[in-house]
Amino acid sequence: MEYLNIALPKGRLGEKVYRLFEDAGFGCPSLLQPGRKLIFENTENGVRYFWVKPSDVAVYVERGAADIGVAGKDIIAEYAPDVYELLDLGLGKCRVCVAAPKDFKDDTRKTLKVATKFCRIARDYYANTGRDIDIIPLNGSIEIAPILGLSDVIVDIVETGTTLKENDLSVFAEIMPVSARLIANKASYRFKNAKINDLVAKLSAQIGEMK
Amino acid sequence: MRYSETSRTEPTERLVFSLRELFTSFGYKRYRMSKFEEYDFYSRNKEFLVSDQIITFTDTNGKLMALKPDVTLSIIKNNPENSGVSKLFYDENVYRVTRSSGTFREIKQVGLECIGNTDQYCVSEAMYLASQTLERVSAKNVLALSHLGVLASFASSVGGDEYITNRLLECASSKNTHDIDLVCASAGIPACKANAFKELISLSGDPEQVVKQIANIEGAPDVEKEIGELMSSIGIFKDSPIRGKIVIDFSVASDMNYYNGIVFKGYVDGVPDSVLSGGCYDALMRKLGKRSGAVGFALYLDKLERLFGEDDEYDSDVMLVYENGSDPALIRKAAEELNSKGLTVFCTSSAAADRKCRYVCEFKDGKVKGTDGIS
């Protein structure tokens, strides 16, 4: 049987996304059962799901290990995978922002130190503004970088703003809105076209109903 | 698989031989190139290269040379313009930084170029050969076509400047219709102005059907001439079983600095990326100061490794283990007897654990023992 291989991001977003797929008729009941299993198949509707790290979904899809997957727009913008971006699922909405301590003032005589895990997004954003920056790549707890004097500002995901508030940081600029996107491998789109189009049509209908 | 010259050749080598035959049968002539070109040539034309990083070295005469990162540029440069057409094919290595590794790699390309007074037939023939090339790689293939003139007309109809048009083309190449509203909003363009463009980039499938759908797009610009070119070019596939493997898809949005008119990409099942890319590149010819037209394509053999990756289960058919001190001439004679049965033979004085062979035979007292299972 030819399966449609779907990479889902582990975590809360992945579970919400799965519900959307399930409601569209692409369920796989074993997927939500507790355990450490990462690959699940449903022979009835020909789908195979994998749970992967959210930042790896685009890699699985681009390299063809998965035919389709769900990745945040932040990840797509950062890694720029050569994939089709077929739908905005409207889930996991947040923003990529520039944040800094509340009293921050940009001293344009100096190079701006930017701590982030989104190096490409930050570089592109400041390249468009013409500001000279020094990127400090970090993988987590970005918020503490300006507090400890490691950076002037941070470029990071802001969902509710609670983490920023608790660390006395404020949003100074919004770089891009983020939401979960359905992505597809370009070759899979050719060879599993009917199945992918069917899924896209059904998911679109689901999203339309949610709006 | 028994030994024979063809069966023991690497699949990619067999493919290259077969493509040479194919291209030659269509009157294309092999074009052999030097591995090097003056660096200055590429530095002036970096915008046409996949990556602007080039391996350079200083030649004995003091000239800064480059290992070729691209074949087409060199062919155009070195091919004098005349009133006819030059039909050339190549089978060359290029040296580029690959996106996946971020480091330089030697990439083998096979492709063809038709340069000069090109016409509709030349374009159709190149497409036909592209589809035949894909057929030789795998029967499960798709050739996706687009026309950059159609894409550019629809993008222009949205009404933005060059920056906006480029962002729209980026959206087209990823079939991303949802972010087009954001692109329009950033330039103060009403989202409804992009509806026709969104519909265009969503289309994919059988050429006749797609053309009908384009005709029904509300607010579509006049692309009758371009659609006519597209449809005439696939006329060459009439009554061919390959016709069903041709699709029109406007996500094939190649670099407009290089290409113009018809462009195409080839896919084979089992490889996650396009394995063949080509089209009309009159735009590149103009930039290089040439008046004539050109069409061509390249097949990226490095991408086929995955497809052809299934190794033989055995390293050799027979491991012939001889006694120390055996007469080399007799060992050779015994091995040749096995060779004559179409078997590959690995001769060794001690059974090698890291070598997997179908049969293990002993060579003792001038005789081969343990050949019972060998037919």
Side-chain angles (χ1 to χ4, degrees), chain A residues 97-101 146 152-156 158 164 169-173:
Chain A
C97 295
V98 178
D152 301 313
V153 298
I154 63 170
V155 167
D156 204 11
V158 178
L164 291 184
L169 302 175
S170 295
V171 170
F172 277 76

Side-chain angles (χ1 to χ4, degrees), chain B residues 154-306:
Chain B
F154 273 75
S156 301
S157 72
V158 177
D161 57 14
E162 197 186 337
Y163 173 73
I164 294 298
T165 302
N166 287 339
R167 288 188 63 192
L168 290 173
L169 294 175
E170 274 171 29
C171 288
S173 67
S174 59
K175 283 194 172 287
N176 178 347
T177 53
H178 40 273
D179 282 341
I180 289 177
D181 291 349
L182 286 177
V183 174
C184 289
S186 71
I189 299 168
C192 61
K193 291 266 285 174
N195 286 347
F197 184 74
K198 281 189 201 170
E199 275 192 61
L200 181 84
I201 66 170
S202 305
L203 300 177
S204 180
D206 174 68
E208 263 89 22
Q209 274 188 354
V210 169
V211 167
K212 274 184 200 160
Q213 286 168 317
I214 292 173
N216 291 330
I217 296 178
E218 205 177 311
D222 178 15
V223 288
E224 204 177 319
K225 179 179 155 273
E226 291 83 356
I227 294 293
E229 282 174 11
L230 208 43
M231 294 312 282
S232 315
S233 67
I234 55 173
I236 199 166
F237 295 104
K238 196 183 170 196
D239 302 329
S240 161
I242 295 172
R243 178 68 179 73
K245 300 176 185 179
I246 312 284
V247 298
I248 289 183
D249 191 314
F250 292 97
S251 67
V252 180
S254 303
D255 183 355
M256 288 197 189
N257 276 322
Y258 196 118
Y259 289 107
N260 62 293
I262 293 169
V263 289
F264 45 86
K265 279 191 194 293
Y267 297 85
V268 291
D269 196 20
V271 181
D273 193 4
S274 60
V275 297
L276 179 147
S277 178
C280 300
Y281 54 91
D282 302 358
L284 174 63
M285 298 289 282
R286 302 287 165 275
K287 301 246 176 177
L288 292 176
K290 308 265 180 176
R291 292 184 308 278
S292 45
V295 58
F297 68 81
L299 174 73
Y300 307 107
L301 292 173
D302 58 313
K303 292 187 182 178
L304 304 180
E305 264 178 18
R306 190 172 152 139

